[in-house]
Amino acid sequence: AQSVAQPEDQVNVAEGNPLTVKCTYSVSGNPYLFWYVQYPNRGLQFLLKYITGDNLVKGSYGFEAEFNKSQTSFHLKKPSALVSDSALYFCAVRDGSSNTGKLIFGQGTTLQVKP
Amino acid sequence: KAGVTQTPRYLIKTRGQQVTLSCSPISGHRSVSWYQQTPGQGLQFLFEYFSETQRNKGNFPGRFSGRQFSNSRSEMNVSTLELGDSALYLCASSLAAATGLSSYEQYFGPGTRLTVT
């Protein structure tokens, strides 16, 4: 069975400091990994994905994520946080070995960036 | 390109009623998926459609159904509404392929907020 864990309900960081939002996954086939962000009363906005290749993937708004196969992790990072980055972040996994678009989401992590 | 659109944005229904939600995908996208978002259960997959065929279904009761039209627009229906069906229903579209492995990301609409009283 596929699953995603985001161990932190909330991450607090000061503006200008680096941020990390953690994600670990479990999937039987090839993991396709995604990060989404949700602002209040909005849908989910795609940030970045890992399918294959370089373990460090870069996405929108200066975000990047590092895929670690041995630790089954896909942590989201940003070198310098902005107050406007404050939102709810979701990690998601898809079994790349199956012909389905079904995404399994983590429970979400609230990022709070303080000025 | 216009994004994924969902109508209506807000809906209030009474227990026992039924409801139909609509989703128009991004132009050219043939795959549409639906998700339910609640504070307690988080984001849960409902079903996925590709070229008018349901390709995958989540663990929801039969009261939840959907369909996709030839223009890729999709609707989902919930019959005999229960209080627990109150949620944000999100639709997502992608450039999924007909066969083989799909690495495409999904793009989400703003959602329909359903409140059941």
Side-chain angles (χ1 to χ4, degrees), chain B residues 2-24:
Chain B
V4 178
T5 57
Q6 293 187 245
T7 57
R9 291 292 310 278
Y10 302 92
L11 207 49
I12 299 175
K13 289 286 188 179
T14 304
R15 267 184 305 174
Q17 289 186 314
Q18 76 164 19
V19 67
T20 298
L21 311 182
S22 182
C23 170
S24 292

Side-chain angles (χ1 to χ4, degrees), chain A residues 6-97:
Chain A
Q6 293 180 240
E8 302 153 318
D9 290 336
Q10 182 158 327
V11 169
N12 298 309
V13 65
E15 188 175 31
N17 283 0
L19 69 88
T20 298
V21 183
K22 295 179 181 178
C23 170
T24 58
Y25 66 90
S26 174
V27 66
S28 54
N30 296 324
Y32 287 178
L33 295 155
F34 304 82
W35 275 101
Y36 286 87
V37 60
Q38 186 176 36
Y39 295 96
N41 300 315
R42 302 279 293 276
L44 275 65
Q45 187 174 332
F46 171 73
L47 281 178
L48 50 78
K49 67 180 179 182
Y50 172 83
I51 303 300
T52 186
D54 194 352
N55 290 343
L56 184 66
V57 292
K58 295 187 182 297
S60 305
Y61 312 116
F63 284 94
E64 56 190 29
E66 187 165 13
F67 171 67
N68 187 316
K69 187 174 182 179
S70 62
Q71 296 185 1
T72 61
S73 67
F74 189 56
H75 301 331
L76 181 70
K77 301 181 180 185
K78 187 173 183 182
S80 178
L82 299 173
V83 172
S84 58
D85 292 331
S86 299
L88 182 58
Y89 290 79
F90 289 97
C91 180
V93 69
R94 174 190 299 156
D95 184 349
S97 304

Side-chain angles (χ1 to χ4, degrees), chain B residues 34 47 49 54 57 64-68 74-77:
Chain B
W34 288 88
F47 22 66
Y49 287 88
Q54 188 179 86
K57 189 177 190 306
F64 291 81
S65 63
R67 58 178 176 168
Q68 186 180 33
S74 177
E75 288 182 347
M76 68 163 281
N77 183 276

